[in-house]
Amino acid sequence: MSGAQELLRLAELLCVRLCHDLSGPLGALIGILDLAREEVPDSETVSLAEETAGELAQRLKLLRAAWGRASDNLDKARLQEFAAGVVSGRRVQLDLDGLAPNRLFSPEAGRVLLNLLLLAAECLPGGGMIALADDAPSNGVLLTISGARAGWPPGFSRWLTDSDAAVEAILADPRRLQAPLTALLVQGYGYRLSMLMPASAVGESELSPPLLLSLGP
C-alpha cells in the first residue's frame, strides 16, 4: 500500500469514528429542540437553533458519505439530497439539470462527485453556482463553478497528476485538504480529472475552467 493510499485509509477510519461520535449528541440536540418547540412554539431563538442543527445534520451526512468508505451507488436524487450539506447556509446554488434523470454512479464515482461538490463550494467564497452535466464521450461528468470570486486553488492541476505533491499539500496545511484529497481519490480509483482550459485563458471572467471527471467505459 502506497503512502497516499495509507493516508486515504486513515482519513476514512477517522471520518467514520468522528461521524459516529458526533451523530449521537446531534440527535439528542435535535430531540431537545423538538421539546423546546412544543414549550415555546413562537421562539425565534428555537427556530434559529433548529435551523443550525439541521444544517449540521446535513453536513455530517455529506461528510460521512464523502470521506468514509464508498459503499452505495449514487443516483441523481441521492446526489441532490447529499448536496444539501454543500449549499445549506451558504450563498451557493447547485444545478443538476445537465445530468440524466436515470444517471447512476458507482460508489467510488459517487464518492468522488461528493468531494468535488465540497471542493467547488470552497472555491466560491463569494457565492455562486455549481453545475454538473453528463459528458457522453468520457462516460463522465462536467463540473463548472461560476461566481465573482470563483477559482480553483493554486497547485490543483499539479495534484491531479502527482500524488506525492498532493500528500505534501495535505500535510502542509490540513485546513485546505479538500483539493489534494479529491485529487488523491481520483487517482486512487483510476479515474481522470482534468481542466478543459488553463486558468490564464479565463482572464477576468467569473467562469473558472471546467473540470471533466472521466469515468471510462
Side-chain angles (χ1 to χ4, degrees), residues 182-195:
T182 302
L184 289 175
L185 283 173
V186 171
Q187 296 170 42
Y189 288 136
Y191 301 142
R192 187 165 65 90
L193 185 65
S194 54
M195 292 184 184

Side-chain angles (χ1 to χ4, degrees), residues 6-31:
E6 290 179 349
L7 185 64
L8 287 177
R9 178 60 177 151
L10 177 60
E12 291 171 356
L13 294 173
L14 286 173
C15 178
V16 170
R17 177 57 189 265
L18 285 172
C19 288
H20 177 270
D21 287 353
L22 292 174
S23 60
L26 179 58
L29 175 60
I30 292 175

Side-chain angles (χ1 to χ4, degrees), residues 87-172:
V87 301
S88 182
R90 298 166 180 256
R91 293 182 294 169
V92 174
Q93 296 178 300
L94 181 66
D95 180 4
L96 300 181
D97 289 345
L99 295 178
N102 62 345
R103 186 69 194 268
L104 185 66
F105 298 100
S106 69
E108 296 77 16
R111 185 183 180 198
V112 171
L113 279 177
L114 294 179
N115 276 274
L116 280 172
L117 290 182
L118 285 166
L119 173 60
E122 283 188 2
C123 294
L124 292 170
M129 175 70 72
I130 305 171
L132 297 180
D134 290 321
D135 182 75
S138 68
N139 187 35
V141 177
L142 187 68
L143 182 148
T144 58
I145 57 172
S146 55
R149 296 165 58 194
W152 305 113
F156 186 44
S157 59
R158 180 188 176 193
W159 300 332
L160 293 176
T161 58
D162 188 339
S163 60
D164 290 337
V167 171
E168 290 177 4
I170 292 176
L171 297 178

Side-chain angles (χ1 to χ4, degrees), residues 197-212:
M197 59 182 177
S200 59
V202 180
E204 298 301 321
S205 170
E206 294 187 355
L207 181 66
S208 287
L211 295 179
L212 177 61

Side-chain angles (χ1 to χ4, degrees), residues 59-70:
R59 187 71 171 181
L60 190 61
K61 183 177 182 179
L62 169 63
L63 293 179
R64 187 200 304 267
W67 291 354
R69 301 202 72 177

Side-chain angles (χ1 to χ4, degrees), residues 48-94:
L48 180 59
E50 287 176 330
E51 181 180 344
T52 302
E55 291 175 1
L56 180 57
Q58 291 172 333
R59 187 71 171 181
L60 190 61
K61 183 177 182 179
L62 169 63
L63 293 179
R64 187 200 304 267
W67 291 354
R69 301 202 72 177
S71 58
D72 298 316
N73 290 330
L74 187 69
D75 59 18
K76 187 174 179 179
R78 292 194 70 219
L79 180 60
Q80 183 77 62
E81 180 183 342
F82 281 125
V86 175
V87 301
S88 182
R90 298 166 180 256
R91 293 182 294 169
V92 174
Q93 296 178 300
L94 181 66

